[in-house]
């Protein structure tokens, strides 16, 4: 029979499902291998051909590893909480769980159609209660933990309480809020319960804190930075302001150093690691305290100093003013009555700017003087204190010592406000770049004059320590992560409030289910949607109304796959000890700092508290590139009056006409040729369209753009699978180019891949399409062809170069076709090595070859034998008097004498010699034969 891909693919997909072919056990004598994809958010649009790119690559790898004798875990699930379903619910009233369910069904159908070898018995959905029960449980563990710097890990909060009760706050080295109290054991015990709890909240790894958020009153919600454009919401264009709100936060900063160090131990793309390093943003510098000059202050102030963080403590003698963030807690106290109006006006102005805008703007200079002064701790100089929005409240201490002769922003600020500039390095033109490494010497700098940079820095730090005004400090740019949103479709936070304090619900109450509500909008009083739930109340108090952010459920899901149905633990100890970590993780680079950082954080935490065994969750990671759309255009003729007509000009004829391009649905274009009837039927306005054709065809223009509905360039994998089959789709997606590279989808070459598979099928069949394979012994040439491809594919897959294998398969099949090879000894091995790429056709052929076992998924992978590739003959170029006349194949095992004899005996050579006796015969073994006559 001819290659009937439809029947074959359906048959095998059914077989795999019925037999649970890819179901895997949590124990085996085989070595384990864990291949995971970034699970999708099931959106309403379904999959386009770009989505499965990474899944196909990981599936090839998983299938390959199975054939190589590994026990392979290759699961799939859905990151199914999220905004689009909620947005749809707001518009239509349909419960997000219904939308989600429908979308998942579509995804599942589409995924099944591509022939993935997922173990579906382990499917997870982050929005399902038996999953989010454990997300809530992890939240509870975080709430019950603090980070002990001395121990270098998280520990139970009970241990901290014990320490407070026996030794007070002394000897605690924790990652905590800044404003922790100092107390003795007795003082601790004497503290009211509420104060104790408030104090503990400053240490917990998930905690409540006032954070500045983008608040959009009209939408009744907090927006992410990228949802705000120039002070307005991206959706709807409503005003957004910076507002302080109590929010749950995750103390990820506790793990900053470990998150940084861990990067050196994992096999991830270097640019991705670099993004994480920048995000973590480690800075080595010093903190310096500038005493507040209280002599000029008119009202009393409790604070004694302003603390700054600087990476250039060596420039301390060039400080001519201090700048604190407009949100700095001392602004009000430092503002003198004369300056009050200025400062208030300035604060109002900065409220409109998001932090991102503030960081991005390096040109505009703005600020206001508080009217107060501080004193330089090393020379006692009086320094004015300003506020300006270039100083960020959340970084360092929210205050900088400004050195106009050292820092560009400080320089512009000083120039603008006419503040003094003190040069501190004796090189020309360095007013804005005090860089002692440029062979400069310190000037105006007291005891460091004449020193080199390193020594100067050390000397300043030593001096500051001596006078108690500063110390060396490492600072991280990374902030604690906000862990809440005022939305419905997310995990409820397992907390209730009583007397102003948060309490965890008890573990037996998990999961805390999402309540039903009448509308998916904030309440009239501005509470989150959960505030609408009527019968939703904890016996002891009020539930937290915000839900967890999108990244909660995805920060631990790889563990759930290990033991997806466990209702006693998030995964059993045995399962975790067996699978350990993900060996290969494939997904998009857009998750570089979000998901991949949070996952590493939760993983480290779970390890600290003894639940998991590996410090890093994803050993190797590959970012697949994006598949872009290849848009097609038709060109509407514009008439003399500048109006659009209903006539369309073929692309090759544009030069003579005035036209305007219109995106046309790529599904009615084939190889850039428009299907005219389909175009007319596409939209009513084109029903009477007329065309100016070239060579009888309408040729469309094309351009590479993002794959998107709005450009009509979305290609649905279902269509490709229907037309050519899943095996062709799989191979074609790989064939498009290196996995990591972004590339446009272009169906122009897909026929070639389809033809290849048909040619492969043909090898096993005679002219009448009867299956015909012989048991004859293979020839050398056939073995060579086979072993070449065995080696090539193995090398390619091991280095994740899937595209190069596809072309090698094509070459091998061509060679074997030319050799008319239909021998089992060759073809059966070829079937196995092609199986990861084209699993359906190979299963069918495997059965036709008489393997009764059912599936080849666990067959033994052929071993490469280098002997078959040893070249035993060489085609010698034979030259006569320096001119190559012909080639002659001679066995490489022959020696000099035999070769000479063979050459001279050859009839063609004799012809060139024309009866003459050679004067000389030079043989270079394996290279050339030269005859001089
Ligand atoms: C004095 C100085 C002199 C500085 C000089 C730089 C150059 P990174 O590497 O990013 O950590 N800074 C500190 N806190 C800040 C805040 N909240 N907002 C804006 N800027 C802040 O940079 C640290 C440097 O950035 C610090 O060192 C401080 O300026 C500034 F020639 O102090 B520097």
């Amino acid at each position: 029979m001819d290659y009937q891909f439809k029947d074959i693919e359906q048959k095998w997909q059914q077989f795999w499902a019925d037999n649970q072919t890819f179901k895997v056990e949590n124990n085996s004598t085989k070595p384990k291998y864990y291949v995971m994809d970034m699970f999708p958010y099931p959106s309403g649009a379904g999959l386009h051909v770009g989505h499965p790119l990474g899944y196909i690559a990981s599936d090839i790898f998983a299938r390959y590893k199975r054939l190589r004798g590994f026990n392979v875990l290759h699961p799939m699930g859905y990151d199914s909480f999220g905004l689009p379903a909620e947005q749809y619910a707001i518009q239509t009233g349909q419960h997000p769980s219904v939308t989600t369910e429908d979308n998942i069904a579509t995804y599942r159908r589409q995924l099944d159609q591509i022939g993935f070898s997922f173990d579906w018995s382990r499917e997870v959905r982050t929005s399902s209660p038996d999953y989010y029960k454990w997300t809530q449980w992890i939240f509870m563990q975080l709430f019950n933990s603090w980070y002990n710097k001395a121990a270098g890990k998280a520990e139970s909060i009970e241990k901290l309480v014990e320490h407070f009760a026996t030794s007070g706050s002394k000897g605690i080295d924790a990652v905590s809020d800044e404003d922790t109290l100092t107390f003795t054991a007795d003082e601790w015990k004497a503290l009211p319960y509420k104060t104790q709890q408030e104090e503990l909240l400053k240490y917990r790894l998930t905690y409540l804190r006032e954070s500045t958020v983008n608040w959009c009153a009209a939408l009744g919600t907090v927006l992410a930075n990228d949802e705000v454009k120039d002070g307005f919401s991206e959706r709807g264009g409503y005003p957004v302001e910076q507002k302080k709100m109590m929010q749950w936060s995750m103390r990820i900063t506790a793990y900053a150093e470990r998150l940084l160090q861990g990067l050196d131990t994992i096999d991830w793309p270097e640019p991705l690691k670099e993004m994480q390093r920048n995000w973590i943003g480690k800075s080595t510098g010093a903190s310096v305290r500038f005493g507040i000059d209280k002599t000029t202050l008119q009202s009393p102030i409790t604070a004694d100093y302003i603390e700054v963080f600087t990476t250039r403590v060596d420039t301390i003698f060039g400080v001519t003013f201090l700048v604190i963030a407009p949100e700095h807690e001392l602004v009000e106290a430092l503002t003198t009555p004369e300056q009050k109006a200025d400062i208030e006006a300035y604060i109002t102005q900065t409220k409109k700017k998001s932090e991102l805008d503030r960081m991005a703007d390096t040109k505009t200079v703005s600020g206001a003087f508080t009217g107060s002064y501080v004193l330089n701790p090393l020379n006692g100089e009086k320094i004015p204190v300003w506020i300006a929005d270039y100083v960020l409240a959340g970084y360092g201490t929210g205050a900088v010592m400004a050195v106009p002769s050292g820092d560009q922003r400080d320089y512009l600020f000083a120039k603008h406000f006419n503040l003094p500039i003190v040069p501190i390095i004796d090189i020309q033109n360095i007013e804005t770049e005090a860089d002692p490494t440029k062979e400069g010497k310190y000037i105006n700098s007291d005891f460091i004059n004449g020193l080199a940079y390193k020594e100067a820095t050390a000397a300043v730090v030593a001096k500051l320590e001596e006078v108690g005004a500063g110390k060396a400090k490492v600072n991280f740019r990374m902030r604690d992560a906000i862990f809440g949103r005022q939305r419905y479709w997310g995990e409820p936070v397992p907390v209730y409030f009583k007397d102003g304090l948060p309490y965890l619900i008890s573990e037996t109450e998990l999961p805390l289910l999402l309540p039903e509500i009448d509308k998916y909008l904030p309440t009239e009083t501005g509470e989150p949607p959960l505030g609408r739930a009527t019968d939703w109340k904890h016996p002891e108090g009020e539930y937290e109304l915000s839900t967890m952010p999108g990244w909660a459920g995805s920060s631990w899901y790889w563990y759930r796959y290990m033991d997806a149905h466990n209702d006693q633990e998030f995964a059993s100890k045995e399962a975790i000890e067996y699978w350990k970590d993900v060996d290969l993780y494939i997904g998009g680079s857009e998750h570089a700092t979000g998901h991949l950082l949070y996952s590493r954080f939760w993983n480290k935490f779970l390890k600290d508290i003894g639940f998991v065994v590996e410090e890093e969750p994803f050993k190797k990671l590959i970012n697949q590139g994006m598949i872009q759309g290849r848009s097609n255009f038709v060109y509407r003729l514009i008439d003399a009056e500048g109006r659009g007509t209903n006539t369309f000009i073929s692309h090759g004829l544009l030069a003579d006409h005035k036209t305007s391009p219109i995106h046309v649905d790529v599904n009615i274009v084939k190889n850039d040729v428009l299907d005219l009837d389909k175009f007319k039927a596409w939209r009513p306005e084109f029903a009477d369209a007329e065309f100016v054709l070239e060579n009888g065809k309408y040729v469309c223009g094309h351009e590479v753009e993002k794959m998107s509905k709005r450009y009509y360039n979305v290609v649905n994998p279902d269509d490709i699978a229907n037309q050519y089959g899943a095996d062709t789709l799989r191979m074609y997606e790989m064939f498009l180019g290196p996995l990591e590279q972004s590339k446009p989808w272009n169906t122009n070459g897909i026929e070639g891949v389809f033809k290849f598979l048909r040619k492969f099928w043909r090898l096993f069949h005679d002219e009448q399409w009867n299956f015909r394979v012989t048991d004859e012994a293979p020839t050398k040439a056939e073995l060579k062809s086979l072993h070449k491809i065995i080696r090539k594919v193995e090398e390619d897959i091991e280095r994740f170069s899937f595209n190069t294998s596809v072309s090698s398969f094509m070459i091998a099949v061509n060679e074997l076709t030319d050799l008319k090879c239909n021998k089992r000894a060759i073809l059966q091995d070829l079937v196995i090595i092609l199986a990861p790429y084209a699993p359906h056709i190979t299963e069918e052929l495997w059965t036709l070859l008489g393997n009764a076992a059912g599936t080849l998924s666990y067959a033994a992978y052929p071993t490469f034998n280098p002997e078959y590739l040893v070249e035993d003959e060489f085609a010698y170029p034979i030259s006569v008097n320096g001119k190559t006349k012909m080639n002659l194949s001679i066995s490489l095992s022959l020696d000099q004498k035999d070769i000479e004899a063979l050459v001279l005996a050859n009839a063609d050579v004799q012809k060139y010699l024309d009866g003459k006796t050679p004067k000389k015969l030079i043989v270079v073994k394996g290279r050339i034969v030269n005859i001089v006559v």
Side-chain angles (χ1 to χ4, degrees), residues 447-463:
F447 58 91
I448 60 168
N449 280 340
L451 294 187
Y453 169 67
K454 269 199 176 150
E455 289 78 63
T457 304
V460 173
V461 170
K463 189 82 187 169

Side-chain angles (χ1 to χ4, degrees), residues 281-286 308-316 319 323-325 358-359 388-410 424 431-435 475-477 479:
K282 183 175 177 175
S283 277
T284 312
V308 306
F309 171 72
T310 175
T311 45
R312 290 293 308 279
V313 73
D314 61 302
T315 63
I316 193 160
V319 178
V323 186
I324 62 180
R358 280 167 63 168
M359 283 195 283
D389 66 7
Y390 75 82
V391 175
L392 305 173
Y395 184 64
T397 59
V400 308
M401 56 180 225
V403 185
S405 61
D407 182 274
Q408 178 69 15
R409 290 172 314 181
D410 300 345
I424 44 169
E431 347 168 67
T432 63
E433 207 187 322
D435 186 355
N475 201 50
F476 291 94
R477 177 166 295 114
R479 322 270 176 87

Side-chain angles (χ1 to χ4, degrees), residues 461-636:
V461 170
K463 189 82 187 169
L464 286 169
E465 276 175 1
E466 188 187 313
V467 300
K471 54 177 193 271
K473 191 175 168 180
V474 172
N475 201 50
F476 291 94
R477 177 166 295 114
M478 183 167 72
R479 322 270 176 87
D480 281 344
I482 292 180
F483 195 76
R485 13 172 232 188
Q486 288 60 50
R487 296 283 193 170
Y488 177 72
W489 194 228
E491 300 85 348
V493 176
V495 162
Y496 64 90
F497 288 88
K498 195 173 89 178
D499 307 326
L501 281 179
Y503 292 86
L504 290 180
I505 64 172
S506 91
E507 272 192 30
T508 54
E509 290 170 272
L510 290 178
L512 174 59
L513 296 175
L514 255 182
E516 296 300 319
I517 53 174
D518 57 344
K519 264 198 274 179
Y520 303 95
L521 287 172
T523 66
E524 278 66 39
T525 53
E527 305 248 81
L530 290 190
R532 294 182 173 272
T534 40
D535 285 337
W536 198 59
K537 209 173 158 330
H538 191 270
E540 305 272 319
E542 303 287 338
Y543 282 129
E544 166 65 55
L545 296 181
S546 61
T547 51
M548 297 189 194
W551 55 269
S554 57
S555 295
W556 70 279
Y557 74 114
W558 62 99
Y559 286 116
R560 191 60 180 167
Y561 284 139
M562 295 180 187
D563 196 9
H565 304 289
N566 195 328
D567 56 5
Q568 300 301 310
E569 297 156 289
F570 69 90
S572 73
K573 245 194 155 53
E574 298 77 61
I576 292 171
E577 265 162 21
Y578 179 70
W579 292 110
K580 291 190 174 67
D581 55 5
V582 176
D583 294 284
L584 173 65
Y585 193 20
I586 297 188
S589 57
E590 66 275 19
H591 300 290
T593 50
H595 161 61
L596 288 175
L597 209 52
Y598 298 133
S599 294
R600 296 181 59 220
F601 159 40
W602 279 26
N603 192 84
K604 286 172 194 297
F605 167 68
L606 289 171
K607 171 150 190 281
D608 284 355
I609 61 169
F611 284 92
V612 308
V613 292
E614 291 291 329
E615 173 81 9
E616 288 289 338
F618 315 126
K619 224 181 271 169
K620 177 170 180 72
L621 184 130
I622 298 179
N623 289 133
Q624 86 271 15
M626 283 244 292
I627 291 202
Q628 294 142 322
R630 188 177 184 279
S631 307
N632 275 121
F633 297 89
V634 292
Y635 300 88
R636 189 196 281 280

Side-chain angles (χ1 to χ4, degrees), residues 140-155:
M140 293 170 75
Q141 310 311 306
L142 284 153
F143 185 84
N144 281 331
S145 305
W146 64 294
Y147 199 88
N148 184 350
K149 276 206 252 183
K153 62 185 203 128
E155 285 178 352

